[in-house]
Amino acid sequence: MTETPSTMQMVSFAAWRDGALHSGRQADRRYVTLAELLVRLGSFGLGLSWKARLFDRQPHPAFAQMVKASAGSGIPTLELLATDAPYRQAVDGDFEGYAGSELALTLREFDSSCWEVRTADAWVLSEIQRHYPDARPMTSDEWDTTT
Protein backbone atom coordinates (compact mmCIF):
# COMPACT_ATOMS: atom_id res chain seq x y z
CA MET A 1 0.00 0.00 0.00
CA THR A 2 1.32 3.41 -0.94
CA GLU A 3 0.06 6.44 0.92
CA THR A 4 1.40 9.97 1.20
CA PRO A 5 -0.22 11.40 4.36
CA SER A 6 0.45 14.99 3.33
CA THR A 7 -1.73 14.67 0.22
CA MET A 8 -4.62 12.88 1.91
CA GLN A 9 -7.56 15.04 2.95
CA MET A 10 -10.36 14.02 5.27
CA VAL A 11 -13.95 15.10 5.80
CA SER A 12 -16.71 13.97 8.16
CA PHE A 13 -20.49 14.21 7.80
CA ALA A 14 -23.58 12.98 9.62
CA ALA A 15 -24.74 9.49 8.69
CA TRP A 16 -28.37 10.19 9.57
CA ARG A 17 -30.13 12.53 7.16
CA ASP A 18 -33.49 14.21 7.07
CA GLY A 19 -35.46 13.06 4.04
CA ALA A 20 -37.44 15.37 1.80
CA LEU A 21 -40.57 16.81 3.35
CA HIS A 22 -43.80 15.29 2.11
CA SER A 23 -47.00 17.29 2.17
CA GLY A 24 -48.60 16.99 5.57
CA ARG A 25 -45.93 14.59 6.93
CA GLN A 26 -42.85 15.00 9.05
CA ALA A 27 -39.45 14.60 7.44
CA ASP A 28 -38.28 11.02 7.28
CA ARG A 29 -34.87 10.14 8.70
CA ARG A 30 -32.65 7.88 6.66
CA TYR A 31 -29.24 6.37 7.06
CA VAL A 32 -26.47 6.83 4.49
CA THR A 33 -25.33 3.33 3.63
CA LEU A 34 -22.05 2.16 2.16
CA ALA A 35 -23.99 1.34 -1.01
CA GLU A 36 -25.11 4.96 -1.33
CA LEU A 37 -21.54 6.19 -0.97
CA LEU A 38 -20.26 3.69 -3.54
CA VAL A 39 -22.88 4.91 -6.02
CA ARG A 40 -21.89 8.54 -5.33
CA LEU A 41 -18.33 7.65 -6.40
CA GLY A 42 -19.55 6.99 -9.94
CA SER A 43 -16.90 5.89 -12.40
CA PHE A 44 -14.12 6.75 -9.92
CA GLY A 45 -15.25 3.91 -7.69
CA LEU A 46 -15.85 1.33 -10.41
CA GLY A 47 -12.16 0.58 -10.85
CA LEU A 48 -11.46 0.12 -7.15
CA SER A 49 -11.13 -3.08 -5.15
CA TRP A 50 -12.34 -2.95 -1.57
CA LYS A 51 -11.03 -4.30 1.69
CA ALA A 52 -13.22 -4.15 4.78
CA ARG A 53 -12.26 -4.04 8.43
CA LEU A 54 -14.96 -4.01 11.08
CA PHE A 55 -14.42 -3.02 14.67
CA ASP A 56 -17.77 -4.33 15.92
CA ARG A 57 -17.27 -7.46 18.01
CA GLN A 58 -20.41 -9.10 16.65
CA PRO A 59 -21.05 -7.75 13.16
CA HIS A 60 -24.08 -8.75 11.15
CA PRO A 61 -23.27 -11.98 9.24
CA ALA A 62 -23.43 -10.05 5.95
CA PHE A 63 -20.54 -7.85 7.12
CA ALA A 64 -18.55 -10.85 8.34
CA GLN A 65 -18.95 -12.35 4.84
CA MET A 66 -17.84 -9.07 3.27
CA VAL A 67 -14.68 -8.98 5.40
CA LYS A 68 -13.88 -12.55 4.40
CA ALA A 69 -14.59 -11.89 0.69
CA SER A 70 -12.44 -8.76 0.69
CA ALA A 71 -9.36 -10.44 2.15
CA GLY A 72 -6.35 -10.70 -0.12
CA SER A 73 -6.66 -8.58 -3.23
CA GLY A 74 -10.07 -7.16 -2.26
CA ILE A 75 -13.50 -7.27 -3.86
CA PRO A 76 -14.42 -5.18 -6.93
CA THR A 77 -17.05 -2.47 -6.45
CA LEU A 78 -19.78 -4.15 -8.51
CA GLU A 79 -19.29 -7.47 -6.70
CA LEU A 80 -19.43 -5.64 -3.39
CA LEU A 81 -22.67 -3.92 -4.40
CA ALA A 82 -24.13 -7.31 -5.32
CA THR A 83 -23.81 -8.47 -1.70
CA ASP A 84 -26.21 -7.68 1.13
CA ALA A 85 -23.73 -5.86 3.41
CA PRO A 86 -23.46 -2.41 1.75
CA TYR A 87 -27.20 -1.87 2.22
CA ARG A 88 -27.02 -2.44 5.98
CA GLN A 89 -25.91 -0.19 8.79
CA ALA A 90 -22.61 -1.19 10.38
CA VAL A 91 -21.45 0.24 13.69
CA ASP A 92 -17.75 0.85 13.11
CA GLY A 93 -15.71 -0.06 10.07
CA ASP A 94 -13.17 0.97 7.50
CA PHE A 95 -13.81 0.33 3.83
CA GLU A 96 -10.64 0.89 1.85
CA GLY A 97 -10.72 1.35 -1.92
CA TYR A 98 -7.56 0.38 -3.80
CA ALA A 99 -6.51 1.26 -7.34
CA GLY A 100 -4.14 -1.63 -7.94
CA SER A 101 -1.94 -1.74 -4.84
CA GLU A 102 -2.39 1.95 -4.00
CA LEU A 103 -4.88 3.09 -1.36
CA ALA A 104 -7.12 5.63 -3.12
CA LEU A 105 -9.93 6.12 -0.63
CA THR A 106 -11.10 5.16 2.84
CA LEU A 107 -14.75 5.32 3.84
CA ARG A 108 -15.05 5.03 7.62
CA GLU A 109 -18.34 4.39 9.34
CA PHE A 110 -17.92 5.71 12.86
CA ASP A 111 -20.28 4.77 15.67
CA SER A 112 -23.26 4.67 13.27
CA SER A 113 -23.36 8.43 13.64
CA CYS A 114 -21.05 9.73 10.94
CA TRP A 115 -19.07 8.84 7.86
CA GLU A 116 -15.49 9.94 7.42
CA VAL A 117 -13.81 10.06 4.03
CA ARG A 118 -10.06 10.15 3.38
CA THR A 119 -8.62 10.57 -0.11
CA ALA A 120 -6.16 12.60 -2.15
CA ASP A 121 -8.69 12.90 -4.99
CA ALA A 122 -10.21 16.40 -5.11
CA TRP A 123 -13.16 15.24 -7.25
CA VAL A 124 -14.22 12.68 -4.63
CA LEU A 125 -14.08 15.30 -1.88
CA SER A 126 -16.11 17.77 -3.95
CA GLU A 127 -18.76 15.10 -4.69
CA ILE A 128 -19.04 14.22 -1.01
CA GLN A 129 -19.38 17.90 -0.10
CA ARG A 130 -21.94 18.43 -2.87
CA HIS A 131 -24.16 15.57 -1.72
CA TYR A 132 -23.55 16.08 2.01
CA PRO A 133 -23.20 19.83 2.58
CA ASP A 134 -22.50 19.34 6.30
CA ALA A 135 -19.19 17.62 5.44
CA ARG A 136 -16.47 19.35 7.39
CA PRO A 137 -12.70 19.04 7.09
CA MET A 138 -10.90 16.83 9.58
CA THR A 139 -7.31 16.92 10.80
CA SER A 140 -5.03 13.88 10.78
CA ASP A 141 -5.24 13.84 14.57
CA GLU A 142 -9.04 13.65 14.43
CA TRP A 143 -8.85 10.82 11.90
CA ASP A 144 -6.39 8.90 14.07
CA THR A 145 -8.63 9.13 17.15
CA THR A 146 -11.68 7.55 15.45
CA THR A 147 -10.06 4.16 14.77
Side-chain angles (χ1 to χ4, degrees):
M1 162 177 78
T2 305
E3 176 182 333
T4 308
S6 62
T7 62
M8 292 294 212
Q9 295 181 26
M10 296 138 294
V11 296
S12 176
F13 61 92
W16 285 97
R17 320 300 290 178
D18 289 330
L21 291 175
H22 302 284
S23 59
R25 292 182 29 200
Q26 290 184 334
D28 295 326
R29 302 257 311 149
R30 67 177 185 83
Y31 191 78
V32 175
T33 62
L34 176 60
E36 180 177 329
L37 293 177
L38 293 175
V39 170
R40 297 272 186 233
L41 295 175
S43 62
F44 175 88
L46 285 178
L48 300 179
S49 291
W50 295 88
K51 295 183 181 185
R53 291 184 304 145
L54 295 177
F55 307 107
D56 185 2
R57 292 188 195 273
Q58 295 182 325
H60 187 279
F63 284 107
Q65 289 174 341
M66 179 174 51
V67 169
K68 185 177 178 181
S70 72
S73 61
I75 183 171
T77 301
L78 292 178
E79 285 183 34
L80 180 58
L81 284 168
T83 69
D84 194 31
Y87 302 91
R88 298 187 174 277
Q89 176 183 343
V91 176
D92 290 306
D94 279 357
F95 307 95
E96 297 176 330
Y98 288 84
S101 63
E102 187 172 329
L103 179 62
L105 171 71
T106 302
L107 303 173
R108 175 176 289 163
E109 189 169 14
F110 180 68
D111 195 30
S112 293
S113 62
C114 70
W115 279 98
E116 299 170 348
V117 178
R118 180 176 67 174
T119 186
D121 191 282
W123 180 86
V124 170
L125 291 171
S126 69
E127 278 300 290
I128 294 296
Q129 291 169 324
R130 184 169 74 89
H131 290 287
Y132 310 103
D134 62 318
R136 66 164 185 79
M138 295 177 68
T139 66
S140 295
D141 289 340
E142 288 175 303
W143 179 271
D144 292 340
T145 60
T146 61
T147 55

